[in-house]
Amino acid sequence: MKKRFLMISLILLCTAGSVWADKIDFQLGGGYNGVFLGDDGDPDSFPLGFSFFGGVGYKFFPTLSIGAEYEYGHAWSFDDGPGGDVLSLSEHLPKAYLKVNLLNMITLSALAGADIQTYRADGDKISTDTAFTAGVRAAVLFGYVQYMAVFNEERTDQRFGVGVILLK
């Protein structure tokens, strides 16, 4: 009796797992990341950097999914900071996404969330800001381009990215 119950439970669990596996959406990728401060291209922008992201979501239909992702980015400025220090910016971006998958080759994602920015000069923390961010990502086959607007209190920053997407 116990053996039969265990066998039926295992079969039901495997069946349920295979059904849910089709409903789970994964995202994973990374590449170039540039951050440009202000609407007018502030000279303290950070044009040289990298970022990577990962996320998981739920597929409502084969072409539509919603989920959450985390992105980390780091960028450096060509301009010197106070005292000739090298300026850098690290970002933590928890976001939600709405993704449309077209023909399993092209995906379009709308992204929104927070951007937690930490500015550093020669490794020493200068300041930390948190702002709302929203943007889009388009992926074709294994490549992506991304644009994000970061809405700070006194300015709007621009984030651009291009790279490789491993799971979409």
Side-chain angles (χ1 to χ4, degrees):
M1 181 71 170
K2 280 185 178 182
K3 203 179 237 184
R4 188 178 301 161
F5 176 74
L6 185 59
M7 190 62 100
I8 291 171
S9 297
L10 187 60
I11 290 170
L12 289 175
L13 185 62
C14 288
T15 304
S18 67
V19 168
W20 274 96
D22 285 348
K23 297 291 186 181
I24 297 176
D25 176 59
F26 294 103
Q27 296 198 127
L28 181 66
Y32 165 78
N33 176 48
V35 181
F36 301 91
L37 305 182
D39 297 318
D40 59 354
D42 190 319
D44 288 333
S45 292
F46 300 86
L48 181 61
F50 68 91
S51 71
F52 57 88
F53 61 89
V56 64
Y58 179 77
K59 292 180 188 176
F60 288 98
F61 303 104
T63 59
L64 181 67
S65 59
I66 189 168
E69 76 173 36
Y70 169 80
E71 181 176 358
Y72 174 78
H74 197 90
W76 293 268
S77 176
F78 292 126
D79 300 318
D80 292 334
D85 299 332
V86 174
L87 293 176
S88 68
L89 169 65
S90 61
E91 297 178 290
H92 299 272
L93 298 106
K95 300 179 281 194
Y97 68 84
L98 176 67
K99 181 167 66 174
V100 177
N101 188 352
L102 305 171
L103 302 174
N104 225 9
M105 292 176 16
I106 301 170
T107 60
L108 304 173
S109 300
L111 309 160
D115 188 348
I116 304 160
Q117 302 173 326
T118 302
Y119 297 90
R120 299 181 187 280
D122 276 346
D124 297 327
K125 183 173 153 182
I126 296 174
S127 67
T128 299
D129 294 328
T130 301
F132 173 75
T133 185
V136 295
R137 179 185 302 132
V140 178
L141 295 177
F142 298 109
Y144 76 87
V145 293
Q146 176 175 298
Y147 168 79
M148 300 289 293
V150 181
F151 302 100
N152 292 304
E153 287 182 21
E154 64 278 349
R155 66 179 190 269
T156 302
D157 299 342
Q158 316 294 316
R159 292 182 76 245
F160 296 97
V162 61
V164 176
I165 191 162
L166 304 173
L167 297 173
K168 59 177 182 164

